[in-house]
Structures are given as C-alpha cells and as structure tokens.
Amino acid sequence: MSALKNDLLLRALRGETTERVPVWMMRQAGRYLPDYIKLREKYSFFERCMNPELATEITVMPVHQVGVDAAIIFSDILVVPQAMGMEVQLIEKIGPVLPDPVKGADDLKKLRVPDVKDTLNYVFEALALTKKTLDGAVPLIGFAGAPWTLLCYMVQGKGSKTFDSAKAFCYQQPEVAHQLLQMITDTTIAYLKEQVKAGADCIQLFDSWGGLLSPQDFETLSLRYMRQIVAALKDVCPVTVFAKGAWFALEEMAATGANCLGVDWCIQPARARQFAGNNVTLQGNFDPAKLLAPIPEIKKAVKEMLNGFGKHRYIANLGHGILPNVPVDHAKAFIETVKEF
C-alpha cells in the first residue's frame, strides 16, 4: 500500500496543523461530471454501485478532474436497507422508492442484521480497488447513512421533505421504531468496520434528515444511535458526523467523541465553533446552490467562508451534496480558491 502523498484531510481530522485548508465536496463523485453522465446512460444506478470497477472509476474522477484532497467511495446510503432485506429502487429524476415499507412489528420479521461480508461485499471490493487505483494520491472516505435517516426511507417508502409517516411511526409505535433503529445501528457498525478493513482511511456518517427532529427527538431517535456508531469506530479511524439542519445539537454531537462535525450553510462559522467547542474539527459549509453564481462571486463567498472558519481544525466543503446542474469549472473554482487561501 502506497504512503499517502496528500494527507491534509487526515491531519485536519486529527486536529493537527496543516499548511493549508483541505477541501472536498459531498457528492463529488457523480452527477455534475460529464464522464459520469456518460456512464449513467449505459448502466443503472445499482449497476454503477455494485460493479467495483465502475464504482472505482467514478470515485477517482473528481480527484483528477476537480483536484479535491480526498476521494469518497461511490455508493449510496440505501445499500444498508437493501442488505437488511428490503427492496430498494433508485429511479432517475424521481429518487429512491422502497415498494414494501415497514409499517409495524410484523415487517421487522422480514428484515435481518445481515452478514455484511456477504451482502455488501461489492462495496468492500470497490474500496480495495479504489485504494489501489489512487496509489496514495489522497485519502479514501467511506460512509453510511445514520440510523434515523435510513429509518425515514424504510418507513416512508420514498423521499419526502417532511417524512411525516416516519415520524408518526416513531410516535405511534416507539418500541418497534427503536427495535428497527437498533437493527440498522448494528448493521452499520459492522458495515463501517469492514469499510475500514477494505481501505477507507476515515468514515462519515450522514444524517440527512436529522434537522427534521426537535432537539428532544433528535437525542432519542438519532443521536442515541449515532453515539453507538461513533463509540465503535472512533478508535479504528477518524469519524465525521454530518446531521443536516441539526446545528442545535453541535455541542452534543461533539461530545460523542467524533473527530469532525459537518455543518450546513444555515449557521455562521463563528456560531458553529462556539457551539461545537475547540476540540473538534468542523467541515462545511458552502451553500451548494451558490456554485451556480458567477465564478467571481463564488471566489468571494469562499474566501468569506474561509475567513469565518479559520485555518485550524477546519475542512472546506459544501453544506450538502453538489447539485447536478453545477458547471465543472464552477466546482473547480471552489476547490482552487480554497487551495490558494
């Protein structure tokens, strides 16, 4: 295994001083890149995920084409429900559809905590091949969806802006909800540990829908389970927790022992630091839609963000995934402005 030529990200995650701010973008491997769009025309979404050669090709694209300081494995958070026994369809321009959602205790009998080496082996093969292909150029990030976010899809059966059915399920059948959350947690811990064995240098937990919960419900339905995952992984590799919209819980998330907290664009850098404290790295928080602004505006806004967060214990990133209609030269302008700072 080649020694890392660029270890900026890992050093920032460990709280070490870096000569410049490291930068990568959530969802960087994919939909805005012309070469990815060509592959999308040839292969279905899960074909792209489940073929290690294709997943590797997509993962390394932004490293060469945009110049990011890390690669994140091309996969999807919904491979976990799939491995647990649910049917998951990803339909272009519509999004995820789970045709047989969880409605009650009987549906849990159809699910299992799987042997991840068997059900998710294609992800580990993709990680190993990507690691070899990168040849030490940049670190490789593994990831999973947080239990609350996965429950949202498994109960709602599709994407939603509010996930009312998922919330109602938790309020009306709390015992079943916690049983499901624990099954997802156990699966996720095993899955992430295997990702690290396969070659991931660090991992990120995505709680995309954490911000839909009140602070009390966030503690009960989300943080309680993320805490278990962080505890199981933090001595194995650096861990980032990103709960979009849950800025109110930055202090509690920092207390999990995670190395890094992702921050969305709805909170000022100084306030995020105030809430999170000084013993954790922050990552974020450029509004992905702002990458559609003219390039001079992007550069100006990136510099403001960098000045707001400062250089220490900070990783530049977007506040959520890159949008499909962002021009590649705009993404490059974002990356280059950080590198020149």
Side-chain angles (χ1 to χ4, degrees), residues 190-204:
Y191 177 45
L192 289 172
K193 282 185 170 176
E194 284 301 319
Q195 286 193 35
V196 176
K197 281 185 200 164
D201 295 294
C202 55
I203 59 114
Q204 177 155 323

Side-chain angles (χ1 to χ4, degrees), residues 202-339:
C202 55
I203 59 114
Q204 177 155 323
L205 201 54
F206 284 88
D207 197 10
S208 306
W209 304 113
L212 295 178
L213 296 168
S214 70
Q216 294 91 326
D217 288 339
F218 184 73
E219 167 58 47
T220 312
L221 297 170
S222 178
L223 197 52
R224 180 194 291 188
Y225 298 97
M226 288 204 286
R227 215 177 263 125
Q228 290 182 42
I229 297 168
V230 175
L233 267 296
K234 68 184 170 72
D235 295 331
V236 180
C237 72
V239 178
T240 297
V241 171
F242 173 59
K244 185 178 180 293
W247 53 266
F248 53 79
L250 282 168
E251 186 181 348
E252 290 78 6
M253 287 190 279
T256 62
N259 298 72
C260 178
L261 301 180
V263 184
D264 66 36
W265 62 93
C266 297
I267 183 169
Q268 303 95 325
R271 187 152 297 172
R273 178 55 75 195
Q274 182 191 343
F275 288 168
N278 294 319
N279 297 324
V280 69
T281 299
L282 294 179
Q283 174 180 280
N285 71 340
F286 202 77
D287 183 345
K290 210 170 255 187
L291 290 179
L292 297 167
I295 285 176
E297 292 296 316
I298 293 171
K299 291 185 166 186
K300 181 169 170 265
V302 171
K303 285 174 193 162
E304 281 170 15
M305 173 181 82
L306 292 162
N307 282 318
F309 281 103
K311 285 186 175 179
H312 186 55
R313 292 215 84 145
Y314 173 56
I315 296 161
N317 204 317
L318 306 176
H320 203 220
I322 190 166
L323 300 167
N325 53 336
V326 168
V328 176
D329 57 341
H330 287 222
K332 270 189 192 160
F334 171 77
I335 302 295
E336 281 160 12
T337 309
V338 176
K339 287 184 168 183

Side-chain angles (χ1 to χ4, degrees), residues 4-6 20 23-25 28-30 32-33 55-73 130 133-141 328 332 335-336 339:
L4 273 176
K5 300 172 185 83
N6 174 350
R20 69 166 173 81
V23 58
W24 66 281
M25 296 180 294
Q28 65 188 17
Y32 69 107
L33 291 169
T56 296
E57 186 184 343
I58 295 164
T59 302
V60 300
M61 269 178 199
V63 177
H64 302 308
Q65 295 181 13
V66 195
V68 287
D69 290 314
I72 181 164
I73 195 68
T130 301
T133 306
L134 284 168
D135 193 30
V138 293
L140 177 57
I141 304 167
V328 176
K332 270 189 192 160
I335 302 295
E336 281 160 12
K339 287 184 168 183

